[in-house]
Amino acid sequence: MKICMFGSGYVGLVTGTCLAESGNDVVCVDIDAKKVAMLKRGKIPIYEPGLEPLIKRNVKEKRLTFSTDLAKGVKSSTVICIAVGTPPKRDGSSDLSQVFAVARTIGRSINGYKIVITKSTVPVGTSEKVKEIIEQETDQPFGIASNPEFLKEGAAVEDFMKPDRIILGTEDPKVAEAIKELYDPFVRTGNPMITMSIRSSEMTKYAANAMLATRISFMNELANLCEAAGADINSVRAGVGSDPRIGPSFLFPGVGYGGSCFPKDVQAIIKTAEEHNHNLKILPAVEETNKKQKELLAQKIIKRFKKDLKGKTIAVWGLSFKPNTDDMREAPSITIIKALLKRGATIKAYDPVALESTRALLGKSISYSKDNYAILKGADALAVITEWNEFRRPDFEKMLKLMKSPIIFDGRNIYTPKKLKAMGFEYYGIGC
Ligand code: NAD
């Protein structure tokens, strides 16, 4: 199939590349000329494990190209995917301007039958608006579908190649048939492709993210209760997660959820409910709990140093909102670092891949290092914010020697408190 992918971000680039890998001809179009130029030079603008070799191979095989010529992309394709951003507006609702701009471009450039697939996360009713906008611009025939993307940054290629499920929202049998053919190579192991109405498909994406965010906030709230009541959340989590009705995933307490999806999608579904005069009770609480949780680690540090961090150096391990990505959108590290800076702390930070994306946000207010041990030299404390694998088994003896005072604030509960305390560390976790 000939595919035009609108948006070469985390979703568009991965999706476009994986669809090229399965034999389609894909052009990824983007309005960001810098990004497109970079991609044309063979440079990958994001960090995503496994993506680079896949892009290189498909570019070499001439199945994958990059362009800023949006109209040409539409004209040369039969399937058009919308994978542009849907960031939150100030009031929490989704800013759909990028999606609607793409719809207008499609309407103005369309030159025959096309299938238009919305992969961006969009509120219920958006695909209908996309259809209306295209129809305002053209009489050409086209079919429409909602096919929300469920890939996880950090494992995006793997997730796209082996999806747990594919959600396909369309009322049009011809469209359903074509999309099933497109995805057939990815569901050969029998994972389901679930077909439903467009509105249900749009809602499914928000329901999934809201459920996951709820689990995180629930466990964070419980962790804080454990701490107050003298219980250990790590044991409670193991006990609770072994119930097959609950399951062990997404039960890890920490510094709150971040990233480009959970915070904005929880806010957006709350807004959707408001627009339908429907009063949601759980999700506003999930969001509120998360806001507080993002501040918790900084509060623990401030309390430990009796509110005065002037002259104190805090080393930070991990900046990205989760491991295996350089994405800093809504990263808890930003909230934590800003709170510590406000109290006068000096921050020295390390992250395996997110130093540059953090520098773009925090500039010279903190210092950056490519060596996680170097920043411990003379540090008054270490805050572990992102659970990169390389932090799990560090050289504790070396750390003891380097640090001015061996205090660890473990925002992800990756260490065993008993072991660390026995070695001479002062340890603070979440809920333990
Ligand atoms: P992103 O910001 O990384 O990328 C969006 C890209 O779209 C940018 O490169 C931007 O320049 C481009 N763009 C904007 N307007 C355009 C236009 N008119 N024509 C062509 N390109 C245009 O965003 P992302 O993280 O890839 O997310 C895209 C969508 O997918 C969002 O709705 C998001 O909620 C959803 N989603 C994201 C993830 C994730 O993990 N990032 C997972 C599932 C779903």
Side-chain angles (χ1 to χ4, degrees):
M1 284 189 206
K2 290 197 178 305
I3 300 168
C4 174
M5 182 67 59
F6 272 83
S8 301
Y10 287 88
V11 170
L13 196 53
V14 171
T15 307
T17 305
C18 293
L19 289 174
E21 176 72 5
S22 65
N24 299 289
D25 287 326
V26 181
V27 55
C28 289
V29 295
D30 204 293
I31 50 168
D32 185 339
K34 249 186 175 165
K35 198 181 260 187
V36 172
M38 229 178 136
L39 284 161
K40 282 184 168 176
R41 285 200 310 273
K43 293 260 172 275
I44 316 303
I46 53 168
Y47 175 80
E48 189 56 54
L51 184 59
E52 190 166 346
L54 218 54
I55 291 182
K56 291 205 159 131
R57 181 161 66 232
N58 284 282
V59 167
K60 201 170 157 219
E61 300 290 332
K62 299 195 168 43
R63 286 191 299 259
L64 180 64
T65 53
F66 305 100
S67 176
T68 49
D69 192 339
L70 311 182
K72 195 172 163 200
V74 173
K75 287 184 204 300
S76 63
S77 310
T78 45
V79 173
I80 299 163
C81 297
I82 306 177
V84 294
T86 50
K89 285 194 208 158
R90 266 179 177 277
D91 67 355
S93 62
S94 292
D95 178 351
L96 296 171
S97 56
Q98 295 180 33
V99 173
F100 295 154
V102 173
R104 266 188 297 282
T105 302
I106 296 172
R108 286 172 191 168
S109 322
I110 192 168
N111 59 341
Y113 181 76
K114 314 276 176 192
I115 292 173
V116 179
I117 304 173
T118 309
K119 290 203 73 61
S120 297
T121 303
V122 292
V124 171
T126 304
S127 299
E128 285 163 20
K129 286 188 194 141
V130 165
K131 186 168 178 266
E132 277 167 32
I133 293 170
I134 300 174
E135 280 169 348
Q136 280 163 16
E137 302 287 343
T138 185
D139 294 328
Q140 293 283 338
F142 66 95
I144 199 131
S146 153
N147 167 226
E149 185 46 58
F150 290 91
L151 59 76
K152 302 183 288 293
E153 282 174 26
V157 173
E158 173 85 2
D159 284 349
F160 193 88
M161 291 295 196
K162 295 179 194 157
D164 302 321
R165 78 306 204 184
I166 287 164
I167 301 296
L168 171 53
T170 185
E171 279 85 17
D172 182 337
K174 189 173 163 190
V175 170
E177 204 46 50
I179 297 179
K180 276 184 185 154
E181 201 185 309
L182 188 66
Y183 278 117
D184 195 50
F186 305 101
V187 287
R188 298 194 85 83
T189 47
N191 284 348
M193 191 175 316
I194 305 169
T195 309
M196 56 184 76
S197 71
I198 290 182
R199 283 184 167 247
S200 305
S201 167
E202 289 169 335
M203 184 61 97
T204 301
K205 174 67 193 178
Y206 285 100
N209 277 356
M211 172 71 91
L212 293 170
T214 302
R215 273 174 85 103
I216 295 173
S217 275
F218 177 82
M219 286 308 286
N220 281 336
E221 201 161 57
L222 218 63
N224 300 338
L225 175 61
C226 281
E227 215 169 292
D232 178 353
I233 191 67
N234 295 319
S235 308
V236 173
R237 177 181 55 76
V240 168
S242 59
D243 181 334
R245 293 170 303 175
I246 297 170
S249 31
F250 263 79
L251 293 184
F252 290 84
V255 292
Y257 59 75
S260 68
C261 292
F262 292 173
K264 91 168 163 61
D265 292 350
V266 169
Q267 283 176 45
I269 195 172
I270 293 169
K271 274 284 153 193
T272 298
E274 279 173 27
E275 282 159 21
H276 289 82
N277 296 321
H278 192 87
N279 189 7
L280 291 180
K281 298 259 192 272
I282 293 174
L283 292 177
V286 166
E287 203 198 352
E288 186 57 32
T289 300
N290 194 58
K291 269 190 192 146
K292 282 196 188 140
Q293 198 70 16
K294 278 172 119 176
E295 290 159 9
L296 185 72
L297 201 72
Q299 281 166 5
K300 282 180 187 252
I301 297 170
I302 291 163
K303 187 175 167 201
R304 167 60 184 77
F305 290 104
K306 303 195 168 53
K307 295 186 181 172
D308 186 12
L309 292 177
K310 281 191 202 85
K312 302 282 181 224
T313 298
I314 313 294
V316 170
W317 281 5
L319 297 162
S320 54
F321 86 94
K322 69 172 180 178
N324 297 321
T325 182
D326 57 351
D327 199 344
M328 287 299 296
R329 289 179 281 187
E330 303 280 339
S333 63
I334 298 294
T335 311
I336 295 165
I337 288 172
K338 281 186 174 168
L340 298 177
L341 287 173
K342 216 169 157 185
R343 294 278 176 170
T346 298
I347 306 292
K348 295 184 177 178
Y350 167 81
D351 187 283
V353 302
L355 292 181
E356 287 318 308
S357 42
T358 308
R359 201 192 300 271
L361 296 170
L362 293 178
K364 291 182 179 154
S365 61
I366 68 171
S367 65
Y368 308 86
S369 173
K370 288 184 177 160
D371 181 339
N372 60 319
Y373 289 108
I375 58 170
L376 295 180
K377 197 163 181 251
D380 293 278
L382 164 67
V384 180
I385 300 182
T386 316
E387 69 279 32
W388 283 88
N389 264 344
E390 66 184 77
F391 302 151
R392 288 182 187 272
R393 289 173 167 273
D395 184 340
F396 289 117
E397 293 297 344
K398 187 172 172 181
M399 291 164 71
L400 278 171
K401 283 188 197 130
L402 286 168
M403 294 177 75
K404 189 168 158 197
S405 45
I407 308 175
I408 295 183
F409 294 90
D410 179 0
R412 300 288 182 172
N413 288 0
I414 58 175
Y415 303 129
T416 311
K418 228 179 185 174
K419 191 176 148 196
L420 257 65
K421 283 175 190 165
M423 288 184 78
F425 285 97
E426 196 177 312
Y427 176 88
Y428 300 87
I430 307 285
C432 55

